[in-house]
């Protein structure tokens, strides 16, 4: 009898389990567990995929155009400035920049500040004018009236202010001076001969000027800013955000320097002991503690994208920001791109916030809006929803968001949202077994409280989506779902539901065919 050689054929079961969520990934470099699309999920229960907590809307904060926090929530509502929900003053409506110097919360571009002690709004600058003045070599004397009452210079200025005097027929007296002595009617300077003795009869103006600045920030108790038209960087006098013209040779003086780099400034911020002034392809870094020590160094690096100045956010001395090619981190050396998972998608108008651990990033993509969260502890992005935020404000562990509907929300509440819709679609799953595989089933473990439900859909080899299971939460919170699969090269899974849910695990079982 002729015996034929025996063909080796084995069938074995192999399991592969996905334990941890890996975050959103729009690129082609995907791994098992990556997410292609998501809505209303979070990494709060990492390594599980779970629905986010509630976002409670804050009562009394409607039609808000700007939001900040310093000891309490600061909001612009129409032309009212709110502090902890109460009106404390008037400002112009619209978007703002905020910076705190000493006990003054500067509100820009209004050039005003909120006195955090008295809760009153005051002007950073000051200006007063009147007819006639008498000059000696070091003193200017006035006898002005305003609305029938005598003008009191001490209501406008104080000793140490840098002021500009203009309108004098004697041109030498049209000058910038620092006030050394001040009474209701006299202004004196320390330099004898600083004025030319004369009597003026025309209209004279005394002004403490505030420069026009595109962007502002605080560093080492000074207000810093930059102006693209003049290509100039400014710093106020120490502790005095309303003084930009104090030049006495002291360490407390104000400061200004021009730069020669290409393009407009796109933002500025503090990082450690340095102040960073950004353009799209250039960084100007200011180091030093006082004017005589200041050193400005320029770097040709990936800068801050125009329109994204609110993306600047420092978390544990790491600066996050939106550049031309994505989101970068900067610690003082070369910026590092940390949004490779966004692929080639183009995001603009970035606004950011942080609760101390997470980097919240609201962006636009054409007409679409997105809210991403970068989990600094785990190193991945989560897509929370299709919403946009104009501002964020942090108080301790709480982060508040100003959405483009003009309402303020707490970014992460304590409770679940019973009727909240959510979705998770995983990137395709492949097996590198040269096609010799037959899937038998997928096992899902879900934590599904009573009242919640989830529908599981499967797509094989780019075919049609088919509903494979639909589960409603019952008395037992944890349920297992078995999903049978046909033979395929790849498959995709999408979970869609309402109410709280957590994906605790996913097990894939398949058989491997013969070697020939």
């Amino acid at each position: 009898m002729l015996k034929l050689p025996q063909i080796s054929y084995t069938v074995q079961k192999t399991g592969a389990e996905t334990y941890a969520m890996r975050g959103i990934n729009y690129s082609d470099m995907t791994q098992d567990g990556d997410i292609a699309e998501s809505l209303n999920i979070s990494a709060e229960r990492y390594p599980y995929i779970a629905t986010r907590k509630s976002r409670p809307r804050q009562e009394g904060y409607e039609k808000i155009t700007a939001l900040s926090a310093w000891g309490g929530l600061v909001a612009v509502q129409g032309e009212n400035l709110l502090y902890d929900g109460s009106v404390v003053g008037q400002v112009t409506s619209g978007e703002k920049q905020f910076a705190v110097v000493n006990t003054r919360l500067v509100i820009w571009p209004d050039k005003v500040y909120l006195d955090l002690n008295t809760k009153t709004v005051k002007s950073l600058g000051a200006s007063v004018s009147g007819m006639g003045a008498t000059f000696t070599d070091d003193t200017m004397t006035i006898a002005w009236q305003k609305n029938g009452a005598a003008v009191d210079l001490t209501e406008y200025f104080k000793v140490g202010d840098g002021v500009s005097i203009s309108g004098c027929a004697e041109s030498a007296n049209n000058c910038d001076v620092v006030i050394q002595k001040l009474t209701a009617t006299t202004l004196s300077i320390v330099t004898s001969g600083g004025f030319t003795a004369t009597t003026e009869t025309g209209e004279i103006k005394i002004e403490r000027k505030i420069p026009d600045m595109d962007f502002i920030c605080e560093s080492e108790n000074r207000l810093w800013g930059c102006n693209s038209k003049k290509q100039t960087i400014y710093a106020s006098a120490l502790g005095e955000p309303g003084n930009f013209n104090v030049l006495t040779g002291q360490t407390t003086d104000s400061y200004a320097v021009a730069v020669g780099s290409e393009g407009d400034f796109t933002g500025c911020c503090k990082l450690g002991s340095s102040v960073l002034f950004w353009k799209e392809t250039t960084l100007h870094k200011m180091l030093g503690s006082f004017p005589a020590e200041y050193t400005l160094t320029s770097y040709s690096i990936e800068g801050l994208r125009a329109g994204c100045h609110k993306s600047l956010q420092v978390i544990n001395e790491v600066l996050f920001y939106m550049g031309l090619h994505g989101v970068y981190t900067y610690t003082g050396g070369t910026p590092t791109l940390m949004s490779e998972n966004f692929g080639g998608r183009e995001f603009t108008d970035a606004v950011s916030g942080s609760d101390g651990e997470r980097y919240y990033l609201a962006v636009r993509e054409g007409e679409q809006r997105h809210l991403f969260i970068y989990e600094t502890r785990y190193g991945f992005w989560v897509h929370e929803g299709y919403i946009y935020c104009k501002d964020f404000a942090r108080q301790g562990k709480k982060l508040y968001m100003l959405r483009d509907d003009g309402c303020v929300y707490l970014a992460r509440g304590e409770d679940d949202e019973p009727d909240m819709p959510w979705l998770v679609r995983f990137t395709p799953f492949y097996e590198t077994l040269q096609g010799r595989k037959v899937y038998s089933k997928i096992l899902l473990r879900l934590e599904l409280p009573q009242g919640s439900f989830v529908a599981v859909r499967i797509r094989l080899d780019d075919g049609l989506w088919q509903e494979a299971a639909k589960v409603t939460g019952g008395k037992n919170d944890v349920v297992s779902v078995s999903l049978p699969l046909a033979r395929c090269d790849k498959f995709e899974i999408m979970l869609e539901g309402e109410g709280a849910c957590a994906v605790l695990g996913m097990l894939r079982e398949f058989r491997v065919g013969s070697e020939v």
Side-chain angles (χ1 to χ4, degrees), residues 101-266:
V101 179
N102 212 332
T103 58
R104 304 171 188 179
L105 188 146
V106 177
I107 303 165
W108 205 264
D110 294 47
K111 298 184 181 181
V112 300
Y113 68 90
L114 172 65
D115 188 314
L116 295 169
N117 291 327
T118 64
K119 302 299 186 296
T120 55
V121 176
K122 302 177 182 179
S123 174
L124 282 173
S127 176
V128 63
S129 60
M131 300 301 294
T134 301
F135 289 86
T136 66
D137 63 351
D138 64 357
T139 301
M140 173 186 180
T141 303
I142 68 164
W144 298 343
Q145 287 192 345
K146 185 176 182 181
N147 298 325
V151 169
D152 185 347
L153 291 179
T154 62
E155 294 179 359
Y156 298 87
F157 310 107
K158 65 182 185 303
V159 172
D161 280 356
V163 298
S164 298
I165 301 172
S166 61
C168 299
E170 175 56 64
S171 60
N173 291 336
N174 294 320
C175 57
D176 298 332
V177 297
V178 177
I179 300 173
Q180 299 298 322
K181 294 180 181 179
L182 186 69
T183 70
T185 59
T186 64
L187 178 158
S188 300
I189 59 177
V190 71
T191 306
S192 179
F195 292 136
T196 298
T198 188
T199 298
E200 297 284 346
T201 59
E203 185 175 10
I204 311 299
K205 184 178 183 179
I206 307 173
E207 183 178 13
R208 189 176 70 243
K209 295 180 179 179
I210 307 298
D212 295 327
M213 297 183 289
D214 301 320
F215 306 101
I216 64 166
C217 68
E218 180 277 338
S219 179
E220 305 303 319
N221 207 24
R222 298 177 189 265
L223 181 65
W224 291 81
C226 51
N227 180 296
S228 294
K229 186 175 181 179
K230 296 183 178 180
Q231 289 291 300
T232 300
I233 293 170
Y234 300 94
S236 73
L238 183 66
E240 293 287 342
N243 265 301
F244 285 84
N245 200 19
V246 178
L247 304 172
T248 62
Q250 304 298 312
T251 59
T252 57
D253 279 0
S254 57
Y255 178 80
V257 62
V259 301
S261 57
E262 179 186 7
D264 292 340
F265 288 104
T266 54

Side-chain angles (χ1 to χ4, degrees), residues 460-472:
L460 307 180
D461 292 336
D462 297 323
L464 298 176
W465 285 100
Q466 298 180 353
E467 186 173 291
K470 191 169 185 178
V471 185
T472 300

Side-chain angles (χ1 to χ4, degrees), residues 261-262 264-269 276-284 298-309 311-312 319-330 333-337 339 347 350 359:
S261 57
E262 179 186 7
D264 292 340
F265 288 104
T266 54
C268 66
C269 66
L276 309 179
F277 297 90
W278 293 93
K279 296 186 176 184
E280 287 196 327
T281 57
T282 305
L283 168 64
H284 296 289
S298 301
Y299 302 90
S300 295
I301 61 176
E302 185 68 18
L304 175 69
R305 186 177 189 135
C308 297
H309 59 280
S311 71
L312 294 163
L319 175 65
F320 293 74
Y321 68 93
M322 174 66 78
L324 290 173
H325 298 94
V327 181
Y328 290 80
T329 56
Y330 178 79
T334 302
T336 301
L337 181 66
S339 60
F347 298 127
Y359 177 64

Side-chain angles (χ1 to χ4, degrees), residues 54-64 67 73 75 77 82 84-85 393 395 398-403 405-414:
S54 61
R55 290 196 197 114
R57 191 167 74 105
Q58 306 302 293
E59 296 297 328
Y61 289 89
E62 295 84 24
K63 298 182 180 179
I64 304 298
L67 185 70
L73 277 184
Q77 187 178 56
L82 307 183
D84 265 351
Q395 284 189 294
K398 294 181 178 180
L399 182 68
Y400 296 90
M401 54 173 62
L402 168 60
R403 290 179 51 174
D405 61 1
C407 297
V408 176
Y409 299 81
L410 182 63
R412 196 171 295 271
E414 299 293 332

